Amino acid sequence: MLSKLSVERFKSLVKLELELGQINLFIGANGSGKSNLLEALGVLGAAAFGRVDDETLLRRGVRPGLPQLYKTAFPLKRKENVPHILFGAEATTGATFEVTLWNPLQNPSPAWRFKTENLRRGINDVVVTRTTTSAGKHNQEQGMAALRTVELQPGDAALELMNQLRTYSIYCPNTPSLRGLVQDLQAREPVGLAGGRLPEAVKELLESARKDISINGMLDEVRDLIDWARDFSAAPSADVPLSPSAARSRLVIRFVDRFMVKGRNALTGYDASEGALYVLFCAVLALHPKAPRCLAVDNIDQTLNPRLAQRLVSALCAWTARPGVDRQWFLTAHNPAVLDGLPLDDRRIRLFAVDRDSNGHSRIRRIDLAKALGARPDEGWTLSRMWINGLLGGVPNV
C-alpha cells in the first residue's frame, strides 16, 4: 500500500506531503482542493503507466487540463517558482516513485514531458533515474520507469508500487450509468468509473461468494443495508418486468421487495432507488476479486440518507480492514454523518480536513479521530456535530 504522497505546484496543491492509511477520508468545503488531491494521484498513476496525456488521464477519472490550469497559478516564493510539477509516492515496503512533469504554458504539446524520474526499491537501491541533464537524451514523453518494469520480477517492491499506481482510478458514479440507461465512457472490470457494468459485476460477486464463505457473510451485510429488499441478483432483462421504453441490456439488477405482494415484488435497477444501486456499486469495489488495489471515490456519500451513509462507511472500513485484504481507499465526503461511521480505534483509518489558507493554497491536516472525540467526552459530541460546528476544520467560513 501507499504510505506517503507528495505533491508540489499542482493546481491548489502548492506543497504537501501526506502520511496515508488504508482508508483515507478527506472532508472540506466545496472548492477546497479535495478532488485536486485525488487527481494528483491519478496523474502519478498515468506517469507510472508511462505517458501523461488526455487519454491516460481520462482513463483514470482525471479531468484533463491545460498546463496553465494544472501548474499552480497562485503566487509562489521565488525558490518555489519552477516550471514543472512534482508527484511522488512511497509504499509501505520502502519503494518510492517520484516524477516531475512539464509542458509549455504557450503552445503546449498533447503529452506532458518527463523532466525527472526516480524509481527506487529503497533509499540506496535505484531502479531508474532520469535527471534534468539526461532528460533531453531520451523520449521525454515516455516514462523510463514504466519501460524498466518489464524487466522486474513478480514480487519486486518497485514493480508492486508501480502496479498499484497504474491501477488507481477515481470513481464517481451517476444514476443513469448505474441504471444502465447511458453508456459508461470509462468502462472496465469489474465496474466502470461512472457505474457502468454493475449487473455483470454483481453477478460475478455473487458467484465468488459461493466459493468464499466470508464474502457470502459480507453480502448479508449488504442486504441489511438495503432494508426494503429481501434479496438482489443479476438477471437477464427478458426475465424481469421492464418498461418497453427503457434501454435494454443483457443483464439488469433484480431486487425482491420484502413488502410488496408475492408475484409482483420484483424490481429492476431501472425502478429501484438510486441509493440501493450505489450501495451495490460500493460493495463491488470493496469485495469483488478484480477490484483495483488502490482507488478513489469522489463524494462517497452521494445519493444516501445520513443513516445509510454512516452505515455504508462503517461497512467499507470493516470489509477493507479485515486480514489479508490489500486494498486502499481515498474518499471525499460532504455529509457529516459519514464521520460517525469511522472506527476511532483503528489507526489504518485516517481523516483529513482540507482548507484554503489566506493565499488560496490547499492545506491538508490529519485529524486524530480518538483525540478529537475525546476532547468532549462528557458533552455527547459526535464527530459529525464537531465538524458542523467548525471544531475539526474543513468547513467554509460563511
Side-chain angles (χ1 to χ4, degrees), residues 323-360:
V325 174
D326 183 20
R327 196 161 292 175
Q328 189 171 26
W329 294 74
F330 295 83
L331 310 172
T332 68
H334 294 97
N335 188 334
V338 167
L339 273 61
D340 296 333
L342 299 175
L344 302 180
D345 57 348
D346 194 331
R347 302 294 292 179
R348 294 170 295 181
I349 314 300
R350 304 201 174 185
L351 176 65
F352 299 88
V354 185
D355 296 283
R356 293 285 193 104
D357 66 14
S358 58
N359 294 316

Side-chain angles (χ1 to χ4, degrees), residues 61 170-175 177 192-195 278 281 296-299 302:
I170 304 169
Y171 291 82
C172 191
N174 60 65
T175 301
S177 295
L193 299 189
Y278 190 74
F281 171 83
V297 180
D298 208 1
N299 299 322
Q302 62 178 306

Side-chain angles (χ1 to χ4, degrees), residues 248-264:
R248 285 183 179 267
S249 55
R250 185 179 66 86
L251 287 177
V252 295
I253 300 293
R254 178 180 182 271
F255 295 97
V256 178
D257 191 291
R258 69 171 67 251
F259 302 106
M260 298 168 68
V261 297
K262 188 176 182 179
R264 296 177 58 192

Side-chain angles (χ1 to χ4, degrees), residues 273-288:
S273 71
E274 59 184 359
L277 297 173
Y278 190 74
V279 167
L280 291 182
F281 171 83
C282 291
V284 165
L285 290 179
L287 304 176
H288 196 290

